[in-house]
Amino acid sequence: MRRLHMTVNGEPVRAEIEARTSLADFLRDSRLLTGTHIGCEHGVCGACTLLMDGEPVRSCITLAAAADGREIRTIEGYEGDVVMDVIRQCFSECHALQCGFCTPGMLATAYDIVTRLPHADRSRIRVELSGNLCRCTGYLGIINAIEIALRRVHGRPAAAGATRSVA
Amino acid sequence: MGVAAGSVKGGIGASIQRREDERFLHGRGQYVADIMLPGMLHAAFLRSPHAHARIKAIRKPDGREDRVIVAADLTGLKPIRSSPNFPNFKHAEFPVLAADKVRYAGEQVALAIAETAAEAEDLLHEIEVDYEPLPPVVDMKRALEPRAPLVHDHWSDNMFCETRFDYGDLDAAIKAAKHVVTREYRMNRQTPMPLEGRACLAHIDRRTDEVVVYVSHQLPVPLQIGLSQVLGIPQRRLRVICPDVGGAFGLKTYLEGETVAVTWAAVRLGRPVRWIQDRYEHLVCDASCRDHWYRVTGYADVSGKLLGIDCEAWCDTGAYSPWPWPAGIEASTAPGNIQGPYDVKAVRGRAVTVATNKPPGQPYRGVARPGACFGHETIIDALARELAQEPHEVRLRNLVRPEQMPYRTATRKLLDSGDYPAAMRKAAELIDVSAVRERQRRGEPDGRLVGLGFAAFYEQTAYGTGPFGYSGWGIELVPGLEPATARLTGDGELVVDVGVHSHGQGHETTFAQISAEVLDIDPGKVTVRYGDTSICTTGTGTYTSRSTVSAGGAVATACRQLKVRIARIGAHLLQAAEKEVEIRDGRVFSASGSVSFAEIGRAWYHHPEDLPPDVDPQGLTVVAGYKAIDGGVFSYSVHAVVVAVDPAVGHVDIIDYVIVEDCGRMVNPMMVDGQVIGGLAGGIGNALYEESPYDEQGQPLAATLADYRVPGASSVPDVRIVHMETPSPLSEFGMKGVGESGAIGPPAAIANAINDALRPLGAEIMETPMTPQRILDAVERGKLKQ
Amino acid sequence: MKPTSFEYERPDSLDAAMRLLGDNPGAKLIAGGQSLGPMLNLRLATPSLLIDISRLEELRERAAHDGYVVLGAGVRHAEFEDGRVPAVLNGFFERAARQIAYRAVRNRGTIGGSLAHADPAADWPAIMIALAAEVEARSVRGSRRIPAADLPNQALETCLEVDEIITSVRVARCGEGARVGYYRLSAQPGDFAEALAVIVHDPQRGYTQAVLSGARQPPQRLGQTARAVAAHCSGNGKADLPAAVEADLTAISGTHDLTSYEWKVRRASVLRAAQEVCV
């Protein structure tokens, strides 16, 4: 067993865990933060993506023990975050989610794109999203949402989107 | 048909934001893996490493015998047996846990239970199983060779069944034909790969004396029925709850052995037991769909008008027949749709369903239609090539015309409405055929080859009781009247209960919109409930794109009846005649005043002294049942795609994609787009990336996501979608289903485009996925031919 | 997919890490965990002890010297991508790193981990060979320098002893006029490479190297290709480049099956990397 302490969504957390416990399982089972989802446990699908020290990481292949002393932000930890509010609003406007399972990981990656790459264009957004799989939406709604969020967050005027139904 | 759609804010036709989004965007969705019950145990399954073997012995670890369950322990279970009434169909049980034999790599052999999931997995490694490996059958053609090893020892061969039909006069068509084109093609096995795998959690609710089973599933009530039959628990004591489901696409529609075993264990141990499928298990055990081979021949007259089509379809459906969709349906569906949206008078079909040592076949978005579409669309293109005409022109010559609607196909489907040629012309215009041809003539500076392909097809949605289809096939799940309950609450808001389930389709929003349309109530004041058999007690669930038409129609019907009840009470409260009041904005209006729905609710729920003396004793709860038409209503689409193929490395880029589609009246156009684009992504996976291959020993070769590739954000192009909203004359508001059509077209359209690009090289590819390796091999074969 | 049980230690010095590694034959090092994590979850790796070296400052060196740079094994791919690492060839590290997996993986994965894991479809092993980098490996028994080309034995295996830790990578800085050709073939962005061709041409140092790796193909140097590229770049004609490539491919694969998929994609990848250098 290993003792660890970390900050989760701004709260200090102390726990004792088996060394083999992943960060994802620790958060879900011990902290009841079930918003972080497990989709593959081999670091490919991105559903488990959350922020560690402000950077997106795969919580399914990060040991809880390795996150000792770190600041973790899960999907439950963006209360009052204006940028995430904008991203969420854009996701809903652009129908960027259907079953919701990939969504928390998508939002973590979207948050990273919007804050780290203010000038990302559509093709850059696609590349940055390669590590987040979705089987429901076909991605276009997600790409549109991030495109619009970038503009709103960084104060640029709106431009025409690429996928629109033509009457 | 009710109120003209589009007249109500947030009603039909409005692209309102989804109600579901709030919880999903905040990580408050509740999937099976998120549900924790006190004292919960965790289950893991020991799975066969062999594709085919006898089980000689299973030894449980000392001291842990009570936490390991094998077939011999599962007393009291009835066998899972699912057989259609096809002639000579061979029967076999689908074991919950393998007893004497294992028949696919990954088949469950034992269940281990422990305090944590990790410990349950540890316990698996302490179970010893003595296997006697047997030679497996892995290829469906070889499986029918004489002396092939038998998957089921009591069968004479490995064929589940064969069905045939012969509609119209194909022999006459063959005689009269001036052009004959034949294609053979293979669609390789795939895995549906929803982001959430399968999962279940069972426990006993002591207060209600019910066994409660949470399952990630599409069919709550059928699952309740199936579990009840197999476990011997009366239905009134068995509650199935399907909470949030993280994608399903047809996979989560059968009675899973895991669910039976976990439920049995929970009852036996008296503690909740939960099983969460991991991704490795999913890629191994659920490599279960689209394993098809076809030979299709088109017979056409001198002008390219098809006179008849012959289709032979083979389906490798793995080792067992699942409940309720038995083996045999998928193969039989393909020839029944092989004529596509074309006016073809004669169709002959033969469907062969074969058992092999692979996971049991499951339906997956589109079912056999992507294969059928691949057939008729590649035939049309082959015909066009022979005639030296543009493929879209040959389609226009053959498509069913609007004046022929409703059109009875040779295969006895009634196409209800639509203008197929207009869709084809629109798609050709938007993709700009002449510009693509010009680009092809110029050539690409980087040496890539550009190609153009189309796919035209219909999608049969929301079909019903029979005789064609489920009941005619003797299947245990037959859709009938789809239920909906609409109830006005004491404070004037609405609760709608439906029997379908949502795994991303947004029913909480669309059914609120339909309710809003009929009752002129704010959709934000409507709660839609589904997935709990205690609440939604009937209905067959979500499959074959039926929810909008069937459940949506039931919701409209129930709300319409509720509207009458509300008006009657409202008129009484307003002291007006019933025919003098109208309902608007959640209120009942007379010439002199109005009352709110809340006041009406108040009267019914706790001030009956205010009610009319002849008030309906059913009050403000309406239970309705609805069916459109047994034969279903037909959406249709034309896909057009331009690709660039890199002949040096075989890589394919989709550089333009157009979809013209008609699903009748759209409830929420934004969400229809979502379904079409999501289906497109799945179709691109089918066409270019996804495959679950097996080696000669029946070992799965794509067991991690490093090998099983699904389309990512860079692989779905910015598609242009046009909606032609031709209302169906047969459904409420003219709605049609749309969930699968996005997935049906892409393999055919992309194949046609790739083959158009490769034509100068004399190469043709007729196997999905069309990987770079297969494309380069096709180019190599083309060189040999030349 | 939960791992087997193991102990976990996070020593606070390199010496302590080396001692632990030396004392525990069933131990494995874990840095970013992006390669090891999935293997643990799939139970393909079942160590008795994990030694977490991801926070050792001694592995975080990023130093520019005269003519070469030294990069600590613990430097993460994201740092290369963001240009926070001294350059050897303008913009090349950023460009190469950006194509490794996904940002979430790059935030944790390290260059030392990538070189020690030796996945043939990974990026850094081939790149470091093309740059003629040297790896420093240390254990309680001492330290040694290993040329990057000597590090991989075969797929997923290196010549490192079980108690050795890669501590840093030393890479020569390219001179003015140096060019790189880099062609990475994968089905989708972020996937492991089907084929990866790296060609470095540094006229100032008289150095040209070509390396090919990819799925199932550990990195191999392509000597004739390198010579042909050097010859072309110095104006001595390019007609023999395809022949040089084919000779190298024949030598490394032992066959000359021009119709096979593998042959075609490898040949195309090397030629496309060469094209980038030679224009």
Side-chain angles (χ1 to χ4, degrees):
Chain A
M1 294 295 275
R2 247 201 106 75
R3 279 211 205 93
L4 55 82
H5 69 269
M6 59 176 78
T7 308
V8 179
N9 298 332
E11 300 284 315
V13 165
R14 288 188 129 65
E16 209 169 299
I17 46 126
E18 268 193 276
R20 61 173 164 172
T21 309
S22 70
L23 178 59
D25 280 333
F26 171 67
L27 294 166
R28 290 176 50 78
D29 296 340
S30 305
R31 310 307 304 163
L32 304 185
L33 294 167
T34 57
T36 298
H37 299 149
I38 294 176
C40 75
E41 292 181 297
H42 44 288
V44 177
C45 80
C48 71
T49 309
L50 46 68
L51 298 191
M52 187 158 84
D53 290 346
E55 297 178 331
V57 300
R58 303 283 208 233
S59 62
C60 71
I61 51 174
T62 302
L63 293 174
D68 185 29
R70 302 292 194 211
E71 269 188 39
I72 305 298
R73 200 175 197 188
T74 69
I75 188 65
E76 295 92 342
Y78 291 88
E79 176 117 11
D81 185 306
V82 184
V83 172
M84 186 55 99
D85 285 347
V86 170
I87 294 172
R88 282 175 165 143
Q89 177 62 24
C90 291
F91 264 54
S92 197
E93 283 171 19
C94 296
H95 193 29
L97 61 151
Q98 291 183 23
C99 82
F101 201 79
C102 76
T103 303
M106 274 300 171
L107 287 172
T109 298
Y111 192 85
D112 177 60
I113 294 171
V114 170
T115 53
R116 183 172 56 92
L117 303 169
H119 300 286
D121 63 7
R122 205 168 167 83
S123 83
R124 183 70 188 270
I125 293 170
R126 285 177 185 276
V127 169
E128 294 293 323
L129 283 176
S130 329
N132 286 83
L133 298 180
C134 174
R135 291 293 266 175
C136 294
T137 65
Y139 303 102
L140 300 187
I142 299 168
I143 297 164
N144 294 341
I146 294 173
E147 215 179 25
I148 294 172
L150 277 164
R151 276 188 217 110
R152 287 190 190 163
V153 167
H154 299 290
R156 293 198 293 274
T163 304
R164 291 290 174 262
S165 289
V166 180
Chain B
M1 220 57 71
V3 176
S7 58
V8 163
K9 187 160 183 266
I12 290 181
S15 287
I16 62 173
Q17 290 176 40
R18 300 188 334 157
R19 213 198 158 91
E20 292 87 335
D21 289 356
E22 176 69 17
R23 68 179 183 279
F24 293 141
L25 289 169
H26 289 85
R28 291 196 290 265
Q30 196 179 61
Y31 307 85
V32 172
D34 302 336
I35 301 172
M36 263 156 273
L37 296 175
M40 186 170 74
L41 295 164
H42 297 260
F45 283 91
L46 183 67
R47 296 185 178 280
S48 166
H50 302 286
H52 199 197
R54 274 190 217 295
I55 298 175
K56 309 298 282 184
I58 304 181
R59 279 180 297 283
K60 303 185 185 184
D62 289 334
R64 313 294 299 280
E65 291 88 346
D66 59 331
R67 290 299 168 91
V68 174
I69 295 162
V70 297
D73 298 318
L74 292 173
T75 50
L77 286 192
K78 295 255 171 32
I80 298 175
R81 206 172 205 224
S82 179
S83 305
N85 59 6
F86 295 164
N88 304 314
F89 185 88
K90 295 198 185 66
H91 309 280
E93 271 176 46
F94 191 153
V96 171
L97 293 173
D100 57 322
K101 237 174 104 161
V102 288
R103 296 183 177 86
Y104 62 96
E107 181 171 357
Q108 55 257 20
V109 174
L111 170 60
I113 294 175
E115 300 291 327
T116 68
E119 284 165 24
E121 231 179 287
D122 292 342
L123 186 52
L124 293 182
H125 292 272
E126 296 180 50
I127 306 169
E128 289 170 14
V129 184
D130 288 344
Y131 292 104
E132 179 197 305
L134 299 167
V137 281
V138 180
D139 175 88
M140 59 175 143
K141 295 293 181 88
R142 299 241 291 271
L144 292 190
E145 283 168 7
R147 289 185 301 282
L150 288 175
V151 176
H152 295 283
D153 298 341
H154 63 287
W155 291 10
S156 53
D157 60 32
N158 287 315
M159 186 189 289
F160 264 106
C161 63
E162 177 182 334
T163 58
R164 292 175 185 261
F165 61 78
D166 211 338
Y167 297 131
D169 190 348
L170 189 72
D171 291 327
I174 293 171
K175 274 211 192 70
K178 291 289 182 279
H179 297 282
V180 178
V181 288
T182 296
R183 286 297 184 275
E184 283 182 22
Y185 56 98
R186 207 158 175 355
M187 298 192 101
N188 282 299
R189 192 168 269 248
Q190 277 190 249
T191 311
M193 239 310 284
L195 258 289
E196 184 207 17
R198 294 189 283 118
C200 60
L201 160 59
H203 78 111
I204 300 173
D205 182 332
R206 302 283 177 203
R207 181 181 65 84
T208 60
D209 190 32
E210 281 175 313
V211 176
V212 181
V213 187
Y214 295 87
V215 199
S216 183
H217 210 267
Q218 301 170 231
L219 317 181
V221 169
L223 190 58
Q224 178 195 36
I225 294 170
L227 281 173
S228 162
Q229 287 175 358
V230 170
L231 289 164
I233 301 173
Q235 288 178 29
R236 69 182 160 81
R237 288 192 55 237
L238 186 63
R239 180 178 180 191
V240 169
I241 301 175
C242 305
D244 285 325
V245 171
F249 314 112
L251 170 68
K252 298 172 180 176
T253 54
Y254 71 105
L255 177 58
E256 303 158 27
E258 291 95 338
T259 310
V260 174
V262 164
T263 305
W264 188 95
V267 171
R268 177 56 62 99
L269 294 170
R271 284 175 67 178
V273 179
R274 189 175 77 182
W275 172 67
I276 306 298
Q277 184 190 50
D278 63 46
R279 187 54 60 195
Y280 176 81
E281 263 183 308
H282 174 73
L283 291 174
V284 168
C285 301
D286 294 345
S288 58
C289 50
R290 299 245 209 285
D291 198 339
H292 295 174
W293 175 91
Y294 295 81
R295 181 191 294 119
V296 179
T297 304
Y299 300 92
D301 69 17
V302 62
S303 75
K305 180 84 172 52
L306 281 166
L307 303 171
I309 301 186
D310 188 316
C311 172
E312 186 171 325
W314 286 53
C315 181
D316 176 341
T317 200
Y320 298 111
S321 180
W323 190 100
W325 317 117
I329 313 190
E330 182 137 346
S332 304
T333 298
N337 287 290
I338 199 63
Q339 84 296 331
Y342 303 112
D343 179 23
V344 181
K345 300 288 194 284
V347 180
R348 177 176 293 157
R350 176 185 179 223
V352 179
T353 304
V354 183
T356 61
N357 290 116
K358 291 195 211 138
Q362 302 299 341
Y364 170 52
R365 201 169 195 172
V367 190
R369 272 79 55 82
C373 179
F374 200 97
H376 54 75
E377 292 310 280
T378 48
I379 289 296
I380 287 266
D381 265 37
L383 194 52
R385 237 164 273 156
E386 212 171 272
L387 293 163
Q389 288 177 15
E390 281 289 359
H392 71 278
E393 298 286 359
V394 178
R395 285 178 173 82
L396 285 168
R397 185 159 312 119
N398 282 282
L399 285 167
V400 172
R401 294 181 310 281
E403 59 268 22
Q404 292 177 290
M405 293 292 185
Y407 173 90
R408 171 108 23 217
T409 70
T411 52
R412 302 194 286 194
K413 295 180 172 39
L414 187 67
L415 308 180
D416 55 293
S417 58
D419 190 343
Y420 298 175
M424 180 70 252
R425 280 191 294 269
K426 189 71 182 170
E429 174 205 320
L430 286 172
I431 204 77
D432 200 345
V433 177
S434 48
V436 176
R437 295 301 181 213
E438 178 52 38
R439 183 172 177 173
Q440 286 175 306
R441 273 189 289 277
R442 277 197 317 263
E444 299 296 296
D446 58 11
R448 292 190 301 169
L449 300 169
V450 166
L452 167 65
F454 291 101
F457 58 94
Y458 62 69
E459 185 195 351
Q460 183 177 13
T461 70
Y463 44 107
T465 312
F468 303 118
Y470 299 126
S471 66
W473 283 336
I475 288 166
E476 272 296 289
L477 172 66
V478 184
L481 292 175
E482 185 61 28
T485 301
R487 178 173 72 85
L488 196 76
T489 60
D491 49 358
E493 301 193 340
L494 192 65
V495 177
V496 171
D497 299 335
V498 293
V500 294
H501 197 270
S502 184
H503 46 273
Q505 293 91 331
H507 293 158
E508 292 163 45
T509 307
T510 47
F511 295 146
Q513 290 182 250
I514 292 173
S515 309
E517 184 71 37
V518 175
L519 282 169
D520 206 7
I521 187 175
D522 174 0
K525 299 213 164 108
V526 181
T527 291
V528 177
R529 303 189 302 179
Y530 52 82
D532 184 338
T533 58
S534 289
I535 298 172
C536 312
T537 57
T538 60
T540 51
T542 296
Y543 54 94
T544 66
S545 306
R546 63 189 300 272
S547 300
T548 302
V549 172
S550 306
V555 170
T557 304
C559 287
R560 212 169 281 127
Q561 292 174 28
L562 184 59
K563 195 172 180 182
V564 170
R565 308 240 189 113
I566 291 171
R568 183 164 297 166
I569 296 174
H572 182 78
L573 293 175
L574 292 164
Q575 297 175 337
E578 208 180 313
K579 57 182 189 290
E580 286 166 6
V581 299
E582 67 167 0
I583 288 182
R584 236 172 37 240
D585 292 332
R587 302 183 72 84
V588 181
F589 285 86
S590 71
S592 51
S594 70
V595 288
S596 67
F597 282 3
E599 288 169 86
I600 292 176
R602 177 181 175 277
W604 172 261
Y605 282 90
H606 52 125
H607 282 282
E609 69 275 16
D610 294 338
L611 293 170
D614 61 344
V615 71
D616 190 320
Q618 310 270 12
L620 295 172
T621 301
V622 173
V623 179
Y626 170 85
K627 184 165 58 173
I629 184 174
D630 278 343
V633 292
F634 289 76
S635 302
Y636 59 98
S637 265
V638 178
H639 288 209
V641 59
V642 179
V643 301
V645 182
D646 184 333
V649 295
H651 191 86
V652 175
D653 265 327
I654 298 174
I655 57 184
D656 199 6
Y657 208 110
V658 163
I659 295 177
V660 178
E661 77 84 38
D662 191 335
C663 61
R665 180 82 65 209
M666 296 186 284
V667 177
N668 186 318
M670 178 183 77
M671 288 169 57
V672 172
D673 276 353
Q675 289 301 307
V676 172
I677 298 168
L680 170 63
I684 289 173
N686 187 173
L688 297 175
Y689 299 106
E690 295 179 48
E691 184 173 358
S692 303
Y694 285 78
D695 70 12
E696 299 252 311
Q697 292 310 308
Q699 293 297 311
L701 297 176
T704 71
L705 290 178
D707 298 307
Y708 193 83
R709 305 304 311 161
V710 304
S714 294
S715 301
V716 183
D718 283 329
V719 60
R720 289 175 286 154
I721 303 174
V722 169
H723 298 289
M724 296 166 56
E725 259 185 302
T726 314
S728 171
L730 300 173
S731 66
E732 286 287 342
F733 300 108
M735 307 182 294
K736 297 179 179 179
V738 74
E740 293 166 274
S741 70
I744 293 174
I750 293 171
N752 280 340
I754 290 174
N755 287 331
D756 184 52
L758 296 180
R759 229 178 118 185
L761 305 181
E764 187 175 80
I765 176 168
M766 292 295 285
E767 183 169 0
T768 66
M770 293 170 282
T771 59
Q773 177 149 8
R774 290 202 173 103
I775 287 174
L776 291 188
D777 288 347
V779 171
E780 215 42 57
R781 285 194 304 274
K783 283 188 196 153
L784 293 174
K785 280 208 304 255
Q786 289 184 333
Chain C
M1 278 164 56
K2 310 298 177 194
T4 53
S5 282
F6 47 77
E7 300 294 317
Y8 170 93
E9 293 293 340
R10 194 169 63 237
D12 50 19
S13 74
L14 185 56
D15 281 341
M18 291 190 296
R19 274 197 304 277
L20 272 173
L21 192 56
D23 291 344
N24 289 278
K28 281 192 88 68
L29 298 169
I30 186 164
Q34 303 303 284
S35 303
L36 186 56
M39 293 177 67
L40 290 170
N41 287 345
L42 284 162
R43 299 195 174 200
L44 294 172
T46 56
S48 53
L49 166 68
L50 278 188
I51 303 168
D52 187 339
I53 55 173
S54 63
R55 303 192 203 188
L56 291 179
E57 275 310 304
E58 293 126 304
L59 302 181
R60 307 255 328 124
E61 186 176 358
R62 285 174 286 168
H65 298 273
D66 193 19
Y68 66 96
V69 305
V70 176
L71 308 169
V75 175
R76 295 168 296 140
H77 310 319
E79 295 174 270
F80 286 89
E81 178 184 2
D82 294 348
R84 289 181 277 146
V85 157
V88 302
L89 178 48
N90 267 351
F92 180 47
F93 279 159
E94 288 94 311
R95 176 184 165 196
R98 184 189 291 193
Q99 299 183 61
I100 298 173
Y102 325 105
R103 182 71 181 186
V105 169
R106 301 196 288 274
N107 280 331
R108 299 280 296 159
T110 63
I111 178 140
S114 174
L115 292 173
H117 188 64
D119 191 320
D123 304 64
W124 289 129
I127 292 168
M128 288 305 161
I129 294 172
L131 291 169
E134 264 186 353
V135 151
E136 185 189 63
R138 290 181 57 185
S139 72
V140 291
R141 299 173 288 110
S143 85
R144 58 175 175 139
R145 288 243 180 87
I146 308 170
D150 295 343
L151 195 54
N153 274 349
Q154 55 185 32
L156 299 173
E157 235 188 70
T158 66
C159 67
L160 292 172
E161 301 292 341
V162 292
D163 64 345
E164 282 183 304
I165 302 180
I166 295 179
T167 52
S168 65
V169 186
R170 179 182 159 125
V171 191
R173 291 167 84 141
C174 291
E176 222 177 287
R179 299 180 59 80
V180 67
Y182 185 70
Y183 187 81
R184 189 184 195 282
L185 182 70
S186 64
Q188 299 183 90
D191 285 4
F192 279 117
E194 279 279 330
L196 175 64
V198 193
I199 302 179
V200 174
H201 173 64
D202 187 355
Q204 201 173 77
R205 289 186 299 140
Y207 171 82
T208 308
Q209 187 55 278
V211 178
L212 173 70
S213 77
R216 299 173 299 279
Q217 164 73 58
Q220 299 276 2
R221 284 173 292 190
L222 308 176
Q224 299 202 47
T225 303
R227 281 192 286 284
V229 166
H232 171 80
C233 288
S234 58
N236 292 351
K238 75 167 176 183
D240 43 23
L241 186 54
V245 171
E246 283 171 24
D248 277 331
L249 291 183
T250 306
I252 63 176
S253 63
T255 70
H256 194 71
D257 183 0
L258 304 179
T259 65
S260 81
Y261 170 70
E262 254 109 25
W263 177 277
K264 288 180 188 177
V265 300
R266 287 173 189 167
R267 180 180 180 279
S269 300
V270 176
L271 285 173
R272 286 176 180 184
Q275 234 171 1
E276 198 189 334
V277 181
C278 292
V279 276

